[in-house]
């Protein structure tokens, strides 16, 4: 590989062992990019991948969402709604929750009681005796909160611009829209272009709304989008692609991606993500850079090519050298393989 040095820390391939393999890649210009392979099988499998499935948040985007807009729909002010939303999100560690809490700054937040998180839908609790909920349209329906056509239109407009939009309800009535956005990672578009150039089909999986997902897919040139999918749904998409004869790699960074990472032919975890994701994957990109997938494929091809070359020369040498050393030609030509020749040849 031009201008790339490869250091194999441990390579038990020849011994057929399952010991993890660490391969560090350093560019000729001094910028370092790490690719860690967990086993020998993943090195070989990477070169045969024809479909790359990617999570959106934390994989295509930075995974550091920020509050973009809070739209009051009731009688309360924006600041009052932000304080209630931040108080509700305070017990949660979800990136979207952290974005809302950060937006509230240092203002004092009321206490939340009966906090409950519902996977894939949102959170709810009680603040000053009043029911408060933040989440998806499905959560609003489950709580019998009326979402009128005007609110849906405004939410869809924000989603069309790539934002993640959530509904905020107070006392059983819709009170506002919360729009959060996450920047695309630097170099994501270029990495997608290079992966397309290698003939890979790009599929994006996300729990976000379809409009938000499609906006990101258009910007990056993603071939196929599956939105509003659960962790189990992500794994089901990966399994379906494999049943259709595709060789699938899945790239993700979160706990929700772990089932899909385990279901793929090759799971690729972002090193900037969760430990659970890295445990479920066979390949880890230390810096969480999608360009590392291009490097991983190049390393896979180069490593397998080197193994094939070594095997070829080993078979040729043994095929010729062993009969000579055994004296196959000695009765007719008096030729035998000298140990002095055999030593450097090995």
């Amino acid at each position: 590989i031009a201008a790339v040095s490869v250091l194999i820390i441990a390579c038990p391939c020849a011994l057929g062992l399952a010991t993890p393999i660490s391969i560090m890649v350093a560019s000729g210009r001094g910028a370092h990019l790490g690719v860690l392979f967990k086993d020998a099988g993943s090195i070989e499998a990477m070169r045969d991948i024809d479909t790359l499935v990617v999570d959106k948040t934390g994989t295509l985007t930075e995974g550091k969402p920020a509050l973009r807009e809070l739209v009051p729909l009731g009688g309360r002010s924006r600041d009052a709604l932000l304080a209630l939303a931040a108080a509700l999100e305070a017990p949660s560690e979800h990136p979207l929750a952290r974005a809302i809490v950060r937006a509230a700054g240092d203002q004092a937040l009321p206490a939340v009681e009966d906090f409950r998180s519902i996977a894939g839908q949102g959170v709810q609790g009680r603040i000053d005796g009043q029911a408060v909920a933040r989440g998806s349209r499905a959560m609003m329906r489950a709580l019998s909160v009326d979402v009128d056509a005007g609110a849906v239109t405004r939410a869809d407009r924000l989603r069309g611009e790539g934002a993640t939009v959530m509904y905020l309800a107070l006392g059983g009535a819709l009170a506002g829209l919360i729009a959060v956005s996450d920047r695309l990672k630097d170099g994501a578009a270029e990495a997608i272009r290079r992966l397309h150039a290698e003939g890979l089909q790009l599929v994006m999986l996300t729990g976000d709304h379809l409009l938000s997902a499609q906006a990101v897919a258009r910007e990056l040139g993603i071939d196929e989008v599956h939105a509003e999918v659960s962790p189990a749904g992500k794994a089901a998409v990966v399994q379906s692609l494999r049943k259709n004869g595709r060789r699938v790699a899945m790239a993700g960074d979160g706990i929700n991606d772990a089932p899909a990472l385990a279901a793929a032919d090759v799971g690729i975890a972002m090193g900037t993500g969760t430990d659970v994701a890295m445990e479920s994957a066979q390949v880890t990109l230390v810096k969480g850079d999608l360009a590392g997938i291009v490097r991983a494929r190049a390393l896979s091809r180069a490593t397998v090519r080197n193994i094939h070359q070594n095997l070829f020369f080993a078979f040729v040498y043994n095929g010729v050298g062993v009969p000579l050393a055994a004296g196959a030609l000695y009765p007719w030509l008096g030729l035998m393989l000298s140990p002095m020749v055999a030593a450097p040849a090995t």
Side-chain angles (χ1 to χ4, degrees):
I1 307 172
V4 174
S5 60
V6 180
L7 171 63
I8 301 181
I9 309 292
C11 186
C13 311
L15 301 178
L17 301 179
T19 306
I21 300 168
S22 298
I23 298 185
M24 300 303 295
V25 188
S27 73
R29 291 177 296 179
H32 292 80
L33 176 64
V35 181
L36 305 181
F37 289 89
K38 184 179 289 185
D39 52 48
S42 60
I43 297 179
E44 186 172 6
M46 271 299 296
R47 67 177 187 144
D48 297 323
I49 294 303
D50 55 32
T51 302
L52 176 63
V53 179
V54 292
D55 173 54
K56 182 173 80 72
T57 304
T59 304
L60 296 174
T61 65
E62 292 181 345
K64 300 176 181 177
L67 182 66
R68 172 173 173 166
E69 195 169 339
L70 198 160
V71 182
L73 297 177
R76 291 178 181 264
S77 68
R78 179 189 181 280
D79 289 343
L81 284 179
L82 179 57
L84 286 171
L88 178 63
E89 302 287 4
S92 174
E93 293 298 326
H94 193 282
L96 296 181
R98 296 295 91 199
I100 296 170
V101 173
R102 283 196 301 271
D106 297 329
Q107 66 176 298
L109 301 177
V112 60
E113 300 175 339
D114 302 327
F115 175 82
R116 190 158 67 101
S117 176
I118 303 173
Q121 292 193 25
V123 294
Q124 59 186 96
R126 301 188 69 83
I127 298 176
D128 295 331
Q130 187 176 37
V132 184
R134 186 281 301 162
S136 64
R137 181 78 180 276
M139 171 176 267
M140 296 299 108
R141 283 195 295 265
L143 296 175
S144 300
V145 175
D146 181 44
V147 179
D148 60 37
V152 172
T153 299
R154 296 191 72 171
D156 286 347
R157 177 182 61 80
L158 290 166
R159 289 177 180 127
E161 297 171 359
T164 297
V165 182
M166 301 159 285
Y167 298 97
L168 180 65
L170 300 176
L174 188 64
L177 302 176
I178 301 173
V180 175
S181 60
D182 192 3
R183 290 182 64 252
L184 292 174
K185 285 185 176 180
D186 293 336
E190 174 61 18
I192 295 297
R193 186 194 66 77
R194 292 174 64 186
L195 290 165
H196 269 139
E198 292 195 7
L200 268 67
Q201 170 113 358
L202 275 295
V203 179
M204 184 172 74
L205 301 181
T206 179
D208 283 356
H209 192 278
L210 179 60
L211 291 176
S212 301
Q214 287 176 333
V216 173
R218 282 194 301 271
E219 186 171 353
L220 292 177
I222 302 291
D223 301 307
E224 185 178 336
V225 176
H226 295 264
E228 300 177 74
V229 291
S230 64
K234 291 181 180 182
V237 171
V238 170
Q239 290 166 350
S240 176
L241 289 168
R242 293 185 66 189
K243 287 179 181 177
N244 290 332
R246 309 293 292 183
R247 299 285 293 174
V248 182
M250 166 70 191
D253 78 318
I255 294 174
N256 290 344
D257 301 319
L261 291 170
D265 292 292
V266 180
I268 304 172
M270 302 293 114
T272 51
T274 64
D275 292 340
V276 173
M278 286 184 275
E279 284 294 326
S280 302
Q282 291 82 45
V283 180
T284 298
L285 306 181
V286 175
K287 290 191 175 181
D289 187 346
L290 282 176
I293 298 176
V294 180
R295 294 287 183 88
R297 282 173 57 78
L299 279 170
S300 173
R301 290 192 293 267
T303 302
V304 173
R305 182 169 61 247
N306 182 261
I307 291 172
H308 288 170
Q309 290 172 347
N310 289 342
L311 288 173
F312 172 77
F313 286 117
F315 279 121
V316 169
Y317 169 73
N318 287 317
V320 174
V322 171
L324 284 176
L329 298 181
Y330 187 78
W332 298 279
L333 301 176
L335 294 178
M336 288 190 67
L337 185 64
S338 168
M340 298 297 292
V341 176
T346 56

